[in-house]
Amino acid sequence: MPTVNYKDYLYEELKDKDYAAGYLTACYEDSLESFLVGLRDVVEVHGGVRELSNTTELNRENLYKLLSEEGNPKLASLHSILSALGFKLQINVATEGKKEAA
């Protein structure tokens, strides 16, 4: 049975916006570092950093830095990136580990 390259498979799946949204959510729930790696994957699939730079009017070098594992994007930058990719940030009530009111 032939094997499939993980990145090739992932990138094909990430072309679907619903799949990409679920992927980003799972990455975010894991850690900020995972989220930035996941966001970098989605950016790559949807045109790359150069195109994202043109769309968001954010500096390309800063985007590379922002999307690195050590990146610490500002909310405004993150909003610009997600909007350019066709996503929006959503806040939900955490049900797992939530303390009950007495």
Side-chain angles (χ1 to χ4, degrees):
M1 173 181 257
T3 60
V4 176
N5 179 296
Y6 168 75
K7 276 284 196 196
D8 292 343
Y9 174 79
L10 175 63
Y11 280 17
E12 187 62 35
E13 293 294 315
L14 289 176
K15 290 177 183 176
D16 178 272
K17 295 246 180 176
D18 289 326
Y19 185 91
Y23 176 72
L24 288 173
T25 299
C27 289
Y28 180 78
E29 289 173 353
D30 183 52
S31 68
L32 178 59
E33 294 82 11
S34 292
F35 176 72
L36 293 174
V37 169
L39 186 56
R40 212 170 41 237
D41 288 338
V42 174
V43 166
E44 186 64 32
V45 168
H46 293 274
V49 172
R50 181 180 301 258
E51 184 166 324
L52 182 63
S53 175
N54 293 334
T55 306
T56 61
E57 298 181 5
L58 296 171
N59 179 291
R60 187 168 38 106
E61 288 77 22
N62 287 341
L63 277 171
Y64 279 114
K65 216 188 275 188
L66 182 140
L67 294 172
S68 74
E69 289 181 42
E70 294 82 32
N72 189 12
K74 292 182 178 181
L75 187 56
S77 298
L78 187 56
H79 175 75
S80 293
I81 292 168
L82 292 173
S83 292
L85 293 170
F87 299 106
K88 67 179 181 175
L89 191 60
Q90 183 175 356
I91 306 298
N92 295 311
V93 174
T95 56
E96 208 172 292
K98 184 175 107 175
K99 291 185 178 183
E100 294 291 324

